[in-house]
Amino acid sequence: MKVEDVNAFLRQEFPQLNGDFEIIDIGGGFSIMQLEAGEAHLRPGGTVSGPSLFALADVAAYAVILAHIGPVALAVTTNLNINFLRKAAPGKLLAMARILKLGKRLAVIDISLTSAASDDLIAHASATYSIPPQ
C-alpha cells in the first residue's frame, strides 16, 4: 500500500483516531508516522502523555504492517513494550517503524519516537502483531 492508501484506510476503519495520526513516508520495511501533539495530548505540566505516545507507537506499527501486507483490518497487537526516555514537548512527533520480522502469522516491529524539532529519542517501543489467515 502507498502512503495515501494507508492514510485513507486508517481514516475509514478507525475514525476514533480523529485524523491525529498521518503516515508521511513508506519504504521497504519501514514507515514514518506523525502526530501533531496539541492540547488534547498533554498531561499536567505540558508534557505529551504516555497514552498518546503509546498510541503513536501502536498505530505506526500497524501502519507499516498494512503497507506491506495490504488492508487487513483484523491484524491485532499481541504485545507492545515501550520505554519512555525523555519528556515529549507538544508539537510534531514522529514514529519510525521498522519491520524486524514479517511472517505469515506474526509481525515484529521496532518503533523509535522523536520530535520533529530534535533527533533525540523520546521513546522506544517494540510490537508484535498477529496477522489473521488470509
Side-chain angles (χ1 to χ4, degrees):
M1 295 176 73
K2 297 179 181 177
V3 170
E4 307 80 34
D5 301 327
V6 176
N7 284 325
F9 179 82
L10 291 174
R11 281 191 304 274
Q12 177 182 327
E13 298 296 326
F14 298 95
Q16 65 270 29
L17 295 177
N18 298 318
D20 288 346
F21 303 94
E22 180 182 8
I23 290 290
I24 57 174
D25 194 11
I26 292 174
F30 81 93
S31 71
I32 300 173
M33 176 168 272
Q34 73 178 14
L35 165 66
E36 188 67 44
E39 190 67 32
H41 303 102
L42 301 183
R43 62 184 305 270
T47 301
V48 177
S49 70
S52 294
L53 296 174
F54 190 96
L56 176 59
D58 194 24
V59 177
Y62 183 61
V64 74
I65 293 166
L66 293 179
H68 290 80
I69 68 169
V72 180
L74 297 179
V76 296
T77 310
T78 59
N79 187 55
L80 194 144
N81 294 307
I82 189 165
N83 294 298
F84 301 104
L85 304 173
R86 59 182 40 88
K87 176 182 175 177
K92 190 178 293 186
L93 302 179
L94 301 173
M96 163 70 101
R98 292 180 308 120
I99 296 172
L100 300 179
K101 178 185 187 239
L102 182 58
K104 290 180 182 179
R105 301 283 295 161
L106 289 177
V108 180
I109 311 299
D110 178 79
I111 310 105
S112 298
L113 279 64
T114 60
S115 166
S118 167
D119 286 339
D120 292 338
L121 201 57
I122 293 169
H124 174 263
S126 59
T128 304
Y129 265 73
S130 175
I131 301 167
Q134 296 181 15

